[in-house]
Amino acid sequence: QVRLVDSGGGSVQAGGSLRLSCTASGYTYSRNFMGWFRQVPGKDREGVAAISPGGGSILYADSVKGRFTISQDNADNTLHLHMNSLKPEDTAIYYCAADLRWLELSPTQWAAHYFSQGTQVTVSS
């Protein structure tokens, strides 16, 4: 059974940084793209970043390009999202995801087979 456990969320002032981490069990990182999604109340969950097995292909939502960096460590099945220059509009629940789909479409249309429980990120102005 696949289990994704994320950590690292919290509260930060605008311009600050946070690093989210996700550890997977029951899932091999070499299977398919992994990534991060986020959701705010009243809106659909949307893709933020995705990374291919081996890291050769990386995708970002336009809203986070140049500020967020996704990385993975296949040795210990850990996925990270480094978030810099955070803005209040980045406030959301962030979810680690595995086995992503529809990556050829807009990040708002990405989907995934597995999600973590989510971690809150709050950015104050």
Side-chain angles (χ1 to χ4, degrees):
Q1 184 174 349
V2 175
R3 184 167 182 242
L4 304 175
V5 179
D6 53 33
S7 62
S11 297
V12 65
Q13 289 192 324
S17 300
L18 285 172
R19 188 183 81 158
L20 306 182
S21 298
C22 173
T23 301
S25 59
Y27 183 86
T28 303
Y29 274 45
S30 61
R31 276 176 52 178
N32 200 353
F33 275 75
M34 296 195 66
W36 293 91
F37 287 66
R38 67 186 182 187
Q39 187 173 24
V40 298
K43 293 189 176 181
D44 292 335
R45 187 157 44 190
E46 63 180 14
V48 173
I51 187 168
S52 64
S57 178
I58 293 177
L59 304 171
Y60 293 103
D62 287 344
S63 59
V64 306
K65 278 180 183 176
R67 300 187 299 121
F68 291 12
T69 302
I70 188 172
S71 63
Q72 64 185 15
D73 184 340
N74 290 337
D76 60 3
N77 266 8
T78 304
L79 184 73
H80 301 287
L81 184 68
H82 303 260
M83 304 184 295
N84 296 319
S85 302
L86 283 161
K87 304 175 181 180
E89 51 263 43
D90 294 318
T91 296
I93 299 175
Y94 283 72
Y95 299 88
C96 169
D99 199 11
L100 270 63
R101 297 283 186 264
W102 307 116
L103 294 175
E104 69 274 21
L105 303 177
S106 164
T108 58
Q109 297 172 283
W110 293 356
H113 195 69
Y114 305 101
F115 288 98
S116 65
Q117 80 281 2
T119 185
Q120 177 71 46
V121 171
T122 302
V123 184
S124 58
S125 57

